[in-house]
PDB file of all heavy atoms in Angstrom:
ATOM      1  N   ARG A 118       2.607  14.760   6.833  1.00 75.00           N
ATOM      2  CA  ARG A 118       1.517  13.788   6.842  1.00 75.00           C
ATOM      3  C   ARG A 118       1.201  13.444   5.404  1.00 75.00           C
ATOM      4  O   ARG A 118       0.992  14.326   4.614  1.00 75.00           O
ATOM      5  CB  ARG A 118       0.271  14.414   7.518  1.00 75.00           C
ATOM      6  CG  ARG A 118       0.595  14.886   8.911  1.00 75.00           C
ATOM      7  CD  ARG A 118      -0.529  15.678   9.567  1.00 75.00           C
ATOM      8  NE  ARG A 118      -1.202  16.516   8.626  1.00 75.00           N
ATOM      9  CZ  ARG A 118      -2.460  16.927   8.742  1.00 75.00           C
ATOM     10  NH1 ARG A 118      -3.177  16.535   9.741  1.00 75.00           N
ATOM     11  NH2 ARG A 118      -3.010  17.707   7.825  1.00 75.00           N
ATOM     12  N   THR A 119       1.188  12.169   5.087  1.00 78.00           N
ATOM     13  CA  THR A 119       0.935  11.776   3.713  1.00 78.00           C
ATOM     14  C   THR A 119      -0.408  11.026   3.653  1.00 78.00           C
ATOM     15  O   THR A 119      -0.779  10.284   4.554  1.00 78.00           O
ATOM     16  CB  THR A 119       2.025  10.866   3.160  1.00 78.00           C
ATOM     17  OG1 THR A 119       1.966   9.587   3.805  1.00 78.00           O
ATOM     18  CG2 THR A 119       3.383  11.473   3.324  1.00 78.00           C
ATOM     19  N   PRO A 120      -1.182  11.217   2.589  1.00 78.00           N
ATOM     20  CA  PRO A 120      -2.430  10.483   2.476  1.00 78.00           C
ATOM     21  C   PRO A 120      -2.232   8.997   2.472  1.00 78.00           C
ATOM     22  O   PRO A 120      -3.050   8.238   3.033  1.00 78.00           O
ATOM     23  CB  PRO A 120      -3.037  10.981   1.158  1.00 78.00           C
ATOM     24  CG  PRO A 120      -2.041  11.853   0.524  1.00 78.00           C
ATOM     25  CD  PRO A 120      -0.929  12.089   1.468  1.00 78.00           C
ATOM     26  N   GLU A 121      -1.144   8.497   1.883  1.00 76.00           N
ATOM     27  CA  GLU A 121      -0.879   7.048   1.839  1.00 76.00           C
ATOM     28  C   GLU A 121      -0.678   6.503   3.212  1.00 76.00           C
ATOM     29  O   GLU A 121      -1.180   5.425   3.547  1.00 76.00           O
ATOM     30  CB  GLU A 121       0.319   6.805   0.926  1.00 76.00           C
ATOM     31  CG  GLU A 121       0.483   5.327   0.606  1.00 76.00           C
ATOM     32  CD  GLU A 121      -0.622   4.740  -0.236  1.00 76.00           C
ATOM     33  OE1 GLU A 121      -1.558   5.394  -0.675  1.00 76.00           O
ATOM     34  OE2 GLU A 121      -0.530   3.502  -0.452  1.00 76.00           O
ATOM     35  N   LEU A 122       0.024   7.222   4.084  1.00 79.00           N
ATOM     36  CA  LEU A 122       0.220   6.743   5.447  1.00 79.00           C
ATOM     37  C   LEU A 122      -1.130   6.604   6.149  1.00 79.00           C
ATOM     38  O   LEU A 122      -1.397   5.588   6.792  1.00 79.00           O
ATOM     39  CB  LEU A 122       1.080   7.751   6.214  1.00 79.00           C
ATOM     40  CG  LEU A 122       1.461   7.344   7.632  1.00 79.00           C
ATOM     41  CD1 LEU A 122       2.865   7.797   7.948  1.00 79.00           C
ATOM     42  CD2 LEU A 122       0.527   7.907   8.662  1.00 79.00           C
ATOM     43  N   PHE A 123      -2.010   7.576   5.974  1.00 78.00           N
ATOM     44  CA  PHE A 123      -3.320   7.504   6.638  1.00 78.00           C
ATOM     45  C   PHE A 123      -4.217   6.478   5.983  1.00 78.00           C
ATOM     46  O   PHE A 123      -5.018   5.849   6.695  1.00 78.00           O
ATOM     47  CB  PHE A 123      -3.977   8.890   6.664  1.00 78.00           C
ATOM     48  CG  PHE A 123      -3.341   9.828   7.639  1.00 78.00           C
ATOM     49  CD1 PHE A 123      -2.559  10.892   7.185  1.00 78.00           C
ATOM     50  CD2 PHE A 123      -3.503   9.671   8.988  1.00 78.00           C
ATOM     51  CE1 PHE A 123      -1.973  11.753   8.088  1.00 78.00           C
ATOM     52  CE2 PHE A 123      -2.873  10.531   9.880  1.00 78.00           C
ATOM     53  CZ  PHE A 123      -2.129  11.581   9.430  1.00 78.00           C
ATOM     54  N   ARG A 124      -4.108   6.243   4.665  1.00 77.00           N
ATOM     55  CA  ARG A 124      -4.898   5.207   3.994  1.00 77.00           C
ATOM     56  C   ARG A 124      -4.534   3.856   4.583  1.00 77.00           C
ATOM     57  O   ARG A 124      -5.379   3.043   4.970  1.00 77.00           O
ATOM     58  CB  ARG A 124      -4.669   5.222   2.503  1.00 77.00           C
ATOM     59  CG  ARG A 124      -5.496   4.123   1.758  1.00 77.00           C
ATOM     60  CD  ARG A 124      -5.079   3.986   0.290  1.00 77.00           C
ATOM     61  NE  ARG A 124      -3.790   3.347   0.189  1.00 77.00           N
ATOM     62  CZ  ARG A 124      -3.605   2.001   0.197  1.00 77.00           C
ATOM     63  NH1 ARG A 124      -4.599   1.198   0.377  1.00 77.00           N
ATOM     64  NH2 ARG A 124      -2.385   1.511   0.054  1.00 77.00           N
ATOM     65  N   ILE A 125      -3.224   3.592   4.660  1.00 75.00           N
ATOM     66  CA  ILE A 125      -2.755   2.299   5.174  1.00 75.00           C
ATOM     67  C   ILE A 125      -3.143   2.151   6.670  1.00 75.00           C
ATOM     68  O   ILE A 125      -3.610   1.120   7.087  1.00 75.00           O
ATOM     69  CB  ILE A 125      -1.238   2.147   4.972  1.00 75.00           C
ATOM     70  CG1 ILE A 125      -0.896   2.117   3.507  1.00 75.00           C
ATOM     71  CG2 ILE A 125      -0.706   0.898   5.695  1.00 75.00           C
ATOM     72  CD1 ILE A 125       0.545   2.330   3.158  1.00 75.00           C
ATOM     73  N   ASP A 126      -3.000   3.242   7.426  1.00 80.00           N
ATOM     74  CA  ASP A 126      -3.350   3.178   8.836  1.00 80.00           C
ATOM     75  C   ASP A 126      -4.826   2.859   9.028  1.00 80.00           C
ATOM     76  O   ASP A 126      -5.195   2.052   9.908  1.00 80.00           O
ATOM     77  CB  ASP A 126      -3.008   4.524   9.515  1.00 80.00           C
ATOM     78  CG  ASP A 126      -3.220   4.464  11.022  1.00 80.00           C
ATOM     79  OD1 ASP A 126      -2.694   3.528  11.678  1.00 80.00           O
ATOM     80  OD2 ASP A 126      -3.879   5.359  11.562  1.00 80.00           O
ATOM     81  N   SER A 127      -5.697   3.458   8.209  1.00 81.00           N
ATOM     82  CA  SER A 127      -7.133   3.199   8.364  1.00 81.00           C
ATOM     83  C   SER A 127      -7.472   1.717   8.079  1.00 81.00           C
ATOM     84  O   SER A 127      -8.237   1.084   8.810  1.00 81.00           O
ATOM     85  CB  SER A 127      -7.968   4.111   7.461  1.00 81.00           C
ATOM     86  OG  SER A 127      -7.802   3.788   6.112  1.00 81.00           O
ATOM     87  N   LEU A 128      -6.863   1.158   7.031  1.00 79.00           N
ATOM     88  CA  LEU A 128      -7.104  -0.227   6.680  1.00 79.00           C
ATOM     89  C   LEU A 128      -6.490  -1.158   7.734  1.00 79.00           C
ATOM     90  O   LEU A 128      -7.042  -2.223   8.061  1.00 79.00           O
ATOM     91  CB  LEU A 128      -6.553  -0.556   5.289  1.00 79.00           C
ATOM     92  CG  LEU A 128      -7.302   0.163   4.162  1.00 79.00           C
ATOM     93  CD1 LEU A 128      -6.517   0.034   2.886  1.00 79.00           C
ATOM     94  CD2 LEU A 128      -8.711  -0.404   4.028  1.00 79.00           C
TER      95      LEU A 128
END
Side-chain angles (χ1 to χ4, degrees):
R118 303 173 322 153
T119 70
E121 191 65 4
L122 185 144
F123 287 108
R124 181 191 72 82
I125 295 165
D126 187 49
S127 70
L128 293 168

